[in-house]
Amino acid sequence: MRLLLAEDEPSLGAQIQAALGGAGYAVDWARDGEEAWFQGDGEPYDAVVLDLGLPGLDGLQVLKRWRAAGRAMPVLVLTARGTWADKVEGLDAGADDYLAKPFRMEELLARLRSLIRRAARTVEPVLRCGPVELDPRSGRVAVGGAPVTLTSHEYRVLAYLMHHPGRVVSRGELIEHIYAQDHDRDSNTIEVFVARLRRKLGVAVIRTIRGLGYRLEEG
């Protein structure tokens, strides 16, 4: 899953990024409000960790802009201000949860998992394409009822394609979805992941559209 972290404190941001990465998330890190708003407005994040005290454009304004634009990804707000008034203001702006500084990383991770589980309940429980089934809530993939074991990157590629059935998805779009911004991106790795997926699934549901990308269709 791909997350956006919006935090201007270098040491805290690095700690959160490391904790999220260690938990298996791909993390993009925005260090000011304008950057956070731009990234959250244009990228399909699974969740956001948003500090309210961002420079330039504060976190509340960033959140209000996202919600006004219809961006519905779950947002966990961080703030050094712990009063009830601040909490209510953040929730009224569209936050899904609230965490006051200082906090323990274990609590941040637990709250994020809860937000992502809640968000998953609003989508179709199981995605299907021919004999292939993917359950976004459990991360389970099966073909004809038989479970298939995928790596995290293989799963992200398949999940993205299954959320966009019948549409041509470019390699660049897949790269943006599965990798954090500062990751060493190589479009050739997408071909490797797709080749592995085809072999593990054993059914022809991923079609290569030459020069454009990939399309998921029933085999």
Coordinates of all heavy atoms in Angstrom, one line a residue, residues 61-146:
Q61 N -5.9 23.5 6.2 CA -6.2 24.0 4.8 C -6.0 22.9 3.8 O -6.7 22.8 2.8 CB -5.4 25.2 4.5 CG -5.8 26.4 5.4 CD -7.2 26.8 5.3 OE1 -7.8 26.9 4.2 NE2 -7.9 26.9 6.5
V62 N -4.9 22.2 3.9 CA -4.6 21.0 3.0 C -5.7 20.1 3.0 O -6.3 19.6 2.0 CB -3.3 20.3 3.4 CG1 -3.1 19.1 2.6 CG2 -2.1 21.3 3.2
L63 N -6.2 19.7 4.2 CA -7.2 18.7 4.4 C -8.6 19.2 3.8 O -9.3 18.5 3.1 CB -7.4 18.3 5.9 CG -8.4 17.3 6.2 CD1 -8.2 16.0 5.4 CD2 -8.4 17.0 7.7
K64 N -8.9 20.5 4.1 CA -10.1 21.1 3.6 C -10.1 21.1 2.0 O -11.1 20.8 1.4 CB -10.3 22.5 4.1 CG -10.7 22.5 5.6 CD -10.8 23.9 6.1 CE -11.1 24.0 7.6 NZ -11.2 25.3 8.1
R65 N -9.0 21.4 1.5 CA -8.9 21.4 0.0 C -9.1 20.0 -0.6 O -9.8 19.8 -1.6 CB -7.5 22.0 -0.5 CG -7.4 23.4 -0.3 CD -6.1 23.9 -0.9 NE -5.8 25.3 -0.7 CZ -4.9 26.0 -1.3 NH1 -4.0 25.4 -2.2 NH2 -4.7 27.3 -1.1
W66 N -8.5 19.0 0.0 CA -8.6 17.6 -0.5 C -10.1 17.2 -0.4 O -10.6 16.7 -1.4 CB -7.8 16.7 0.4 CG -6.4 16.7 0.1 CD1 -5.7 17.1 -1.0 CD2 -5.4 16.2 1.0 NE1 -4.4 16.9 -0.8 CE2 -4.1 16.4 0.4 CE3 -5.4 15.6 2.3 CZ2 -2.9 16.0 1.0 CZ3 -4.2 15.2 2.9 CH2 -3.0 15.4 2.2
R67 N -10.7 17.5 0.7 CA -12.1 17.1 0.9 C -13.1 17.8 -0.1 O -14.0 17.3 -0.7 CB -12.6 17.2 2.3 CG -11.9 16.4 3.3 CD -11.7 14.9 2.9 NE -11.3 14.0 4.0 CZ -10.6 13.0 3.8 NH1 -10.2 12.6 2.6 NH2 -10.2 12.2 4.9
A68 N -12.8 19.1 -0.3 CA -13.6 19.9 -1.2 C -13.4 19.4 -2.7 O -14.3 19.5 -3.5 CB -13.2 21.4 -1.2
A69 N -12.3 18.8 -3.0 CA -12.0 18.3 -4.3 C -12.5 16.8 -4.4 O -12.3 16.2 -5.5 CB -10.5 18.4 -4.6
G70 N -13.1 16.3 -3.4 CA -13.6 14.9 -3.4 C -12.6 13.8 -3.1 O -12.8 12.7 -3.4
R71 N -11.4 14.2 -2.6 CA -10.4 13.2 -2.2 C -10.8 12.5 -0.9 O -10.9 13.2 0.1 CB -9.0 13.8 -2.1 CG -8.5 14.6 -3.3 CD -8.3 13.6 -4.4 NE -7.8 14.3 -5.6 CZ -8.6 14.6 -6.7 NH1 -9.9 14.2 -6.7 NH2 -8.2 15.2 -7.7
A72 N -11.1 11.2 -1.0 CA -11.7 10.5 0.2 C -10.8 9.6 0.9 O -11.2 8.8 1.8 CB -12.9 9.7 -0.3
M73 N -9.4 9.6 0.6 CA -8.5 8.7 1.3 C -8.5 9.0 2.8 O -8.7 10.2 3.2 CB -7.1 8.9 0.8 CG -6.4 10.2 1.0 SD -7.0 11.4 -0.2 CE -5.8 12.7 0.0
P74 N -8.4 8.0 3.6 CA -8.4 8.2 5.1 C -7.2 9.0 5.5 O -6.1 8.8 5.0 CB -8.3 6.8 5.7 CG -7.8 5.9 4.5 CD -8.3 6.5 3.3
V75 N -7.4 9.9 6.4 CA -6.4 10.8 6.9 C -6.2 10.8 8.4 O -7.2 11.0 9.1 CB -6.7 12.3 6.5 CG1 -5.6 13.3 7.0 CG2 -6.7 12.4 4.9
L76 N -5.0 10.5 8.9 CA -4.7 10.5 10.3 C -3.9 11.8 10.6 O -2.8 12.0 10.0 CB -3.8 9.3 10.6 CG -3.2 9.3 12.1 CD1 -4.3 9.2 13.1 CD2 -2.3 8.1 12.2
V77 N -4.5 12.7 11.4 CA -3.9 14.0 11.7 C -3.0 13.9 12.9 O -3.3 13.3 13.9 CB -5.1 15.0 12.0 CG1 -4.6 16.2 12.7 CG2 -5.7 15.4 10.7
L78 N -1.8 14.5 12.7 CA -0.9 14.7 13.8 C -0.8 16.1 14.2 O -0.8 17.0 13.4 CB 0.5 14.2 13.4 CG 0.7 12.8 12.8 CD1 2.2 12.6 12.5 CD2 0.3 11.8 13.8
T79 N -0.7 16.4 15.5 CA -0.6 17.8 16.0 C 0.1 17.8 17.3 O -0.1 16.9 18.1 CB -1.9 18.5 16.0 OG1 -1.7 19.9 16.4 CG2 -2.9 17.8 17.0
A80 N 0.8 18.9 17.6 CA 1.4 19.2 18.9 C 0.4 19.8 19.8 O 0.6 19.9 21.0 CB 2.6 20.1 18.8
R81 N -0.7 20.3 19.2 CA -1.8 20.9 20.0 C -2.8 19.8 20.4 O -3.4 19.1 19.6 CB -2.5 22.0 19.2 CG -1.6 23.1 18.8 CD -2.2 24.0 17.8 NE -2.4 23.3 16.5 CZ -3.0 23.8 15.4 NH1 -3.5 25.1 15.5 NH2 -3.1 23.2 14.3
G82 N -3.0 19.6 21.7 CA -3.9 18.5 22.2 C -5.2 18.9 22.7 O -5.8 18.0 23.4
T83 N -5.7 20.1 22.5 CA -7.0 20.5 23.1 C -8.1 19.9 22.4 O -8.0 19.5 21.2 CB -7.1 22.0 23.2 OG1 -7.3 22.5 21.8 CG2 -5.9 22.7 23.8
W84 N -9.3 19.8 23.1 CA -10.5 19.3 22.4 C -10.9 20.1 21.2 O -11.4 19.7 20.2 CB -11.6 19.2 23.4 CG -11.5 17.9 24.3 CD1 -11.1 17.8 25.5 CD2 -11.8 16.6 23.8 NE1 -11.2 16.5 25.9 CE2 -11.6 15.7 24.9 CE3 -12.3 16.1 22.6 CZ2 -11.8 14.4 24.8 CZ3 -12.5 14.7 22.5 CH2 -12.3 13.9 23.6
A85 N -10.7 21.5 21.4 CA -11.1 22.4 20.3 C -10.3 22.1 19.0 O -10.8 22.1 17.9 CB -10.9 23.8 20.7
D86 N -9.0 21.8 19.2 CA -8.1 21.5 18.0 C -8.6 20.2 17.4 O -8.6 20.0 16.2 CB -6.7 21.4 18.5 CG -6.1 22.7 18.9 OD1 -6.5 23.8 18.3 OD2 -5.3 22.8 19.8
K87 N -8.9 19.2 18.3 CA -9.3 17.9 17.8 C -10.6 18.0 17.0 O -10.8 17.5 15.9 CB -9.5 16.9 18.9 CG -9.9 15.5 18.5 CD -10.0 14.6 19.7 CE -10.3 13.2 19.3 NZ -10.4 12.2 20.4
V88 N -11.6 18.8 17.5 CA -12.9 18.9 16.8 C -12.6 19.7 15.5 O -13.3 19.3 14.5 CB -13.8 19.7 17.7 CG1 -15.1 20.2 16.9 CG2 -14.3 18.9 18.9
E89 N -11.8 20.7 15.5 CA -11.5 21.4 14.3 C -10.9 20.5 13.2 O -11.3 20.6 12.0 CB -10.5 22.6 14.5 CG -10.4 23.5 13.4 CD -9.4 24.7 13.7 OE1 -8.7 24.6 14.7 OE2 -9.4 25.6 12.9
G90 N -10.0 19.6 13.6 CA -9.4 18.7 12.6 C -10.4 17.7 12.1 O -10.5 17.4 10.9
L91 N -11.3 17.2 13.0 CA -12.3 16.2 12.6 C -13.3 16.9 11.7 O -13.8 16.3 10.7 CB -13.0 15.6 13.8 CG -12.0 14.7 14.6 CD1 -12.8 14.2 15.9 CD2 -11.6 13.5 13.9
D92 N -13.7 18.1 12.0 CA -14.7 18.8 11.2 C -14.1 19.1 9.8 O -14.9 19.2 8.8 CB -15.1 20.1 11.9 CG -16.1 19.9 13.0 OD1 -16.7 18.8 13.1 OD2 -16.3 20.9 13.8
A93 N -12.8 19.3 9.7 CA -12.2 19.5 8.4 C -12.1 18.3 7.5 O -11.9 18.4 6.3 CB -10.8 20.1 8.6
G94 N -12.4 17.1 8.1 CA -12.4 15.9 7.3 C -11.4 14.8 7.7 O -11.3 13.8 7.0
A95 N -10.8 15.0 8.9 CA -9.9 14.0 9.4 C -10.6 12.8 9.8 O -11.8 12.8 10.3 CB -9.1 14.5 10.5
D96 N -10.0 11.6 9.6 CA -10.6 10.3 10.1 C -10.2 9.9 11.5 O -10.9 9.1 12.1 CB -10.3 9.2 9.1 CG -10.8 9.5 7.7 OD1 -12.0 9.2 7.5 OD2 -10.1 10.1 6.9
D97 N -9.0 10.4 11.9 CA -8.5 10.1 13.2 C -7.5 11.1 13.6 O -7.1 11.9 12.8 CB -7.9 8.7 13.3 CG -7.8 8.1 14.7 OD1 -8.2 8.8 15.6 OD2 -7.4 6.9 14.8
Y98 N -7.1 11.1 14.9 CA -6.3 12.2 15.5 C -5.3 11.7 16.4 O -5.7 10.8 17.2 CB -7.3 13.1 16.2 CG -6.8 14.4 16.8 CD1 -6.9 15.6 16.1 CD2 -6.1 14.4 18.0 CE1 -6.5 16.8 16.7 CE2 -5.7 15.6 18.6 CZ -5.8 16.8 17.9 OH -5.4 17.9 18.5
L99 N -4.1 12.1 16.3 CA -3.0 11.6 17.2 C -2.2 12.8 17.7 O -1.6 13.5 16.9 CB -2.2 10.6 16.5 CG -1.2 9.8 17.4 CD1 -1.9 9.0 18.5 CD2 -0.4 8.8 16.5
A100 N -2.1 13.1 19.0 CA -1.4 14.2 19.6 C 0.1 13.8 19.8 O 0.4 12.7 20.2 CB -2.1 14.7 20.8
K101 N 1.0 14.7 19.5 CA 2.4 14.5 19.8 C 2.6 14.8 21.3 O 2.0 15.7 21.8 CB 3.2 15.5 19.0 CG 3.1 15.3 17.5 CD 3.9 16.3 16.7 CE 3.8 16.2 15.2 NZ 4.5 17.3 14.5
P102 N 3.6 14.1 21.9 CA 4.3 13.0 21.4 C 3.5 11.7 21.4 O 2.5 11.6 22.2 CB 5.5 12.9 22.4 CG 4.9 13.4 23.7 CD 4.0 14.5 23.3
F103 N 3.9 10.7 20.6 CA 3.1 9.5 20.5 C 4.1 8.4 20.2 O 5.3 8.6 19.9 CB 2.1 9.6 19.3 CG 2.7 9.9 18.0 CD1 3.3 8.9 17.2 CD2 2.7 11.2 17.5 CE1 3.9 9.3 16.0 CE2 3.3 11.5 16.3 CZ 3.9 10.6 15.6
R104 N 3.6 7.1 20.4 CA 4.4 6.0 20.2 C 4.1 5.5 18.8 O 3.0 5.5 18.3 CB 4.1 4.8 21.2 CG 4.5 5.2 22.6 CD 4.2 4.0 23.6 NE 5.1 2.9 23.3 CZ 6.3 2.8 23.8 NH1 6.8 3.7 24.6 NH2 7.0 1.7 23.5
M105 N 5.2 5.0 18.1 CA 5.0 4.6 16.7 C 4.1 3.4 16.6 O 3.3 3.2 15.6 CB 6.4 4.1 16.1 CG 7.3 5.3 15.8 SD 6.6 6.4 14.6 CE 7.7 7.8 14.8
E106 N 4.0 2.6 17.7 CA 3.1 1.4 17.7 C 1.7 1.9 17.6 O 0.8 1.2 16.9 CB 3.3 0.6 18.9 CG 4.7 -0.2 19.0 CD 5.8 0.7 19.6 OE1 5.5 1.9 19.8 OE2 6.9 0.2 19.8
E107 N 1.4 3.0 18.3 CA 0.0 3.5 18.2 C -0.3 4.1 16.8 O -1.4 3.9 16.3 CB -0.2 4.6 19.3 CG -1.7 5.1 19.3 CD -2.0 6.1 20.4 OE1 -1.0 6.5 21.1 OE2 -3.1 6.5 20.5
L108 N 0.6 4.8 16.3 CA 0.4 5.4 14.9 C 0.1 4.2 13.9 O -0.8 4.3 13.1 CB 1.6 6.2 14.5 CG 1.5 6.8 13.1 CD1 2.2 8.2 13.1 CD2 2.2 6.0 12.0
L109 N 0.9 3.2 14.0 CA 0.7 2.0 13.0 C -0.6 1.4 13.3 O -1.3 1.0 12.3 CB 1.9 1.0 13.2 CG 3.2 1.5 12.7 CD1 4.3 0.5 13.1 CD2 3.3 1.7 11.2
A110 N -1.0 1.2 14.5 CA -2.3 0.6 14.8 C -3.5 1.4 14.3 O -4.4 0.9 13.8 CB -2.4 0.3 16.3
R111 N -3.4 2.7 14.5 CA -4.4 3.6 14.0 C -4.5 3.6 12.5 O -5.6 3.6 12.0 CB -4.2 5.0 14.6 CG -4.5 5.2 16.1 CD -4.2 6.6 16.6 NE -4.5 6.7 18.0 CZ -5.7 7.2 18.4 NH1 -6.6 7.5 17.6 NH2 -5.8 7.3 19.7
L112 N -3.4 3.6 11.9 CA -3.4 3.5 10.4 C -4.0 2.2 9.9 O -4.8 2.2 9.0 CB -2.0 3.6 9.9 CG -1.5 5.0 9.5 CD1 0.0 4.9 9.1 CD2 -2.3 5.7 8.5
R113 N -3.7 1.1 10.5 CA -4.2 -0.2 10.1 C -5.8 -0.1 10.3 O -6.5 -0.6 9.4 CB -3.7 -1.3 10.9 CG -2.2 -1.7 10.6 CD -1.8 -3.0 11.2 NE -1.8 -3.0 12.7 CZ -0.8 -2.6 13.4 NH1 0.4 -2.3 12.8 NH2 -0.8 -2.7 14.7
S114 N -6.2 0.5 11.4 CA -7.7 0.6 11.6 C -8.3 1.4 10.5 O -9.4 1.1 10.0 CB -7.9 1.2 13.0 OG -9.3 1.3 13.2
L115 N -7.7 2.6 10.2 CA -8.3 3.4 9.1 C -8.4 2.7 7.8 O -9.4 2.8 7.1 CB -7.4 4.7 9.0 CG -7.5 5.7 10.1 CD1 -6.7 6.9 9.8 CD2 -9.0 6.1 10.4
I116 N -7.3 2.0 7.5 CA -7.3 1.3 6.2 C -8.3 0.2 6.1 O -9.0 0.0 5.1 CB -5.8 0.8 5.9 CG1 -4.9 2.0 5.7 CG2 -5.8 -0.1 4.7 CD1 -3.4 1.6 5.6
R117 N -8.5 -0.5 7.2 CA -9.5 -1.6 7.3 C -10.9 -1.0 7.1 O -11.7 -1.5 6.4 CB -9.4 -2.3 8.6 CG -8.3 -3.3 8.7 CD -8.5 -4.3 9.9 NE -8.7 -3.6 11.1 CZ -7.7 -3.4 12.0 NH1 -6.4 -3.7 11.6 NH2 -7.9 -2.7 13.1
R118 N -11.1 0.2 7.8 CA -12.4 0.8 7.7 C -12.7 1.3 6.2 O -13.8 1.1 5.7 CB -12.5 2.0 8.6 CG -13.0 1.6 10.0 CD -13.3 2.9 10.8 NE -12.1 3.3 11.5 CZ -11.9 4.5 12.0 NH1 -12.9 5.4 11.8 NH2 -10.8 4.9 12.6
A119 N -11.7 1.8 5.6 CA -11.8 2.3 4.2 C -12.1 1.1 3.3 O -12.8 1.2 2.3 CB -10.6 3.1 3.8
A120 N -11.5 0.0 3.6 CA -11.6 -1.2 2.7 C -13.1 -1.7 2.7 O -13.5 -2.3 1.7 CB -10.7 -2.3 3.1
R121 N -13.8 -1.5 3.8 CA -15.2 -1.9 3.9 C -16.1 -1.2 3.0 O -17.2 -1.6 2.7 CB -15.7 -1.8 5.3 CG -14.9 -2.7 6.3 CD -15.6 -2.7 7.6 NE -14.8 -3.3 8.6 CZ -14.2 -2.7 9.6 NH1 -14.4 -1.4 9.8 NH2 -13.5 -3.3 10.5
T122 N -15.6 0.0 2.5 CA -16.5 0.8 1.6 C -16.3 0.3 0.1 O -17.0 0.8 -0.8 CB -16.2 2.3 1.7 OG1 -14.8 2.5 1.2 CG2 -16.2 2.7 3.1
V123 N -15.4 -0.5 -0.2 CA -15.2 -1.0 -1.5 C -15.7 -2.4 -1.7 O -16.0 -3.1 -0.7 CB -13.7 -1.0 -1.9 CG1 -13.1 0.4 -1.8 CG2 -12.9 -1.9 -1.1
E124 N -15.8 -2.9 -2.9 CA -16.3 -4.3 -3.1 C -15.4 -5.2 -2.3 O -14.2 -5.2 -2.4 CB -16.2 -4.6 -4.6 CG -16.8 -5.9 -5.0 CD -16.7 -6.2 -6.4 OE1 -16.3 -5.3 -7.2 OE2 -17.0 -7.3 -6.8
P125 N -16.0 -6.1 -1.5 CA -15.2 -7.0 -0.6 C -14.2 -7.8 -1.4 O -13.0 -8.0 -1.0 CB -16.2 -7.9 0.0 CG -17.5 -7.1 0.0 CD -17.4 -6.3 -1.2
V126 N -14.6 -8.4 -2.5 CA -13.7 -9.3 -3.3 C -13.7 -8.8 -4.8 O -14.8 -8.6 -5.4 CB -14.1 -10.7 -3.2 CG1 -13.2 -11.6 -4.1 CG2 -14.1 -11.2 -1.8
L127 N -12.5 -8.6 -5.4 CA -12.4 -8.2 -6.8 C -12.2 -9.5 -7.6 O -11.5 -10.4 -7.2 CB -11.2 -7.3 -7.0 CG -11.2 -6.0 -6.2 CD1 -9.9 -5.2 -6.4 CD2 -12.4 -5.1 -6.6
R128 N -12.9 -9.6 -8.7 CA -12.8 -10.8 -9.5 C -12.5 -10.5 -11.0 O -13.0 -9.5 -11.5 CB -14.1 -11.6 -9.4 CG -14.4 -12.2 -8.1 CD -15.7 -13.0 -8.0 NE -15.9 -13.6 -6.7 CZ -16.5 -13.0 -5.7 NH1 -16.9 -11.7 -5.8 NH2 -16.7 -13.6 -4.6
C129 N -11.7 -11.3 -11.6 CA -11.5 -11.3 -13.0 C -11.3 -12.7 -13.5 O -10.3 -13.3 -13.3 CB -10.2 -10.4 -13.4 SG -9.9 -10.3 -15.1
G130 N -12.3 -13.2 -14.2 CA -12.3 -14.6 -14.5 C -12.2 -15.5 -13.3 O -12.9 -15.3 -12.3
P131 N -11.2 -16.4 -13.3 CA -11.0 -17.3 -12.1 C -10.2 -16.6 -11.0 O -10.0 -17.2 -9.9 CB -10.3 -18.5 -12.7 CG -9.5 -17.9 -13.8 CD -10.3 -16.8 -14.4
V132 N -9.7 -15.4 -11.2 CA -8.8 -14.7 -10.3 C -9.6 -13.9 -9.3 O -10.5 -13.1 -9.7 CB -7.8 -13.8 -11.0 CG1 -6.9 -13.1 -9.9 CG2 -7.0 -14.6 -12.0
E133 N -9.4 -14.1 -8.0 CA -10.1 -13.4 -6.9 C -9.0 -12.7 -6.0 O -8.0 -13.3 -5.7 CB -10.9 -14.3 -6.1 CG -12.1 -14.9 -6.8 CD -12.9 -15.8 -5.9 OE1 -12.5 -16.0 -4.8 OE2 -14.0 -16.2 -6.3
L134 N -9.3 -11.4 -5.7 CA -8.4 -10.7 -4.8 C -9.3 -10.0 -3.7 O -10.2 -9.3 -4.0 CB -7.6 -9.6 -5.6 CG -6.6 -8.8 -4.8 CD1 -5.4 -8.5 -5.7 CD2 -7.2 -7.6 -4.2
D135 N -9.0 -10.3 -2.4 CA -9.7 -9.7 -1.3 C -8.9 -8.6 -0.7 O -7.8 -8.8 -0.1 CB -9.9 -10.8 -0.3 CG -10.8 -10.3 0.9 OD1 -11.0 -9.0 1.0 OD2 -11.4 -11.1 1.6
P136 N -9.2 -7.3 -1.0 CA -8.5 -6.2 -0.5 C -8.3 -6.1 1.0 O -7.4 -5.6 1.6 CB -9.2 -4.9 -1.0 CG -10.1 -5.5 -2.1 CD -10.4 -6.9 -1.7
R137 N -9.3 -6.7 1.7 CA -9.3 -6.6 3.2 C -8.3 -7.5 3.8 O -7.6 -7.2 4.8 CB -10.7 -6.9 3.7 CG -11.8 -5.9 3.3 CD -13.1 -6.4 3.7 NE -13.5 -7.6 3.1 CZ -14.7 -8.2 3.3 NH1 -15.5 -7.7 4.2 NH2 -14.9 -9.4 2.7
S138 N -8.2 -8.7 3.3 CA -7.2 -9.7 3.8 C -5.9 -9.8 3.0 O -5.0 -10.4 3.5 CB -7.9 -11.1 3.9 OG -8.2 -11.6 2.5
G139 N -5.9 -9.3 1.8 CA -4.8 -9.5 0.9 C -4.7 -10.8 0.3 O -3.6 -11.2 -0.3
R140 N -5.7 -11.6 0.4 CA -5.7 -13.0 -0.2 C -6.0 -13.0 -1.7 O -6.9 -12.3 -2.2 CB -6.8 -13.8 0.5 CG -6.9 -15.3 0.0 CD -8.0 -16.0 0.8 NE -8.1 -17.4 0.3 CZ -8.9 -17.8 -0.7 NH1 -9.6 -16.8 -1.4 NH2 -8.9 -19.0 -1.1
V141 N -5.2 -13.7 -2.4 CA -5.4 -13.9 -3.8 C -5.6 -15.4 -4.1 O -4.9 -16.3 -3.5 CB -4.1 -13.4 -4.6 CG1 -4.3 -13.7 -6.1 CG2 -3.9 -11.9 -4.4
A142 N -6.5 -15.7 -5.0 CA -6.8 -17.1 -5.3 C -7.2 -17.2 -6.8 O -7.7 -16.3 -7.4 CB -8.0 -17.6 -4.4
V143 N -6.9 -18.4 -7.3 CA -7.3 -18.7 -8.7 C -8.1 -20.0 -8.7 O -7.6 -21.0 -8.2 CB -6.0 -18.9 -9.6 CG1 -6.5 -19.3 -11.0 CG2 -5.2 -17.6 -9.7
G144 N -9.3 -19.9 -9.1 CA -10.2 -21.0 -9.0 C -10.4 -21.6 -7.6 O -10.5 -22.8 -7.4
G145 N -10.3 -20.7 -6.6 CA -10.4 -21.1 -5.2 C -9.1 -21.5 -4.6 O -9.1 -21.7 -3.4
A146 N -8.0 -21.7 -5.4 CA -6.8 -22.1 -4.8 C -5.9 -20.9 -4.5 O -5.7 -20.0 -5.3 CB -6.0 -23.0 -5.8

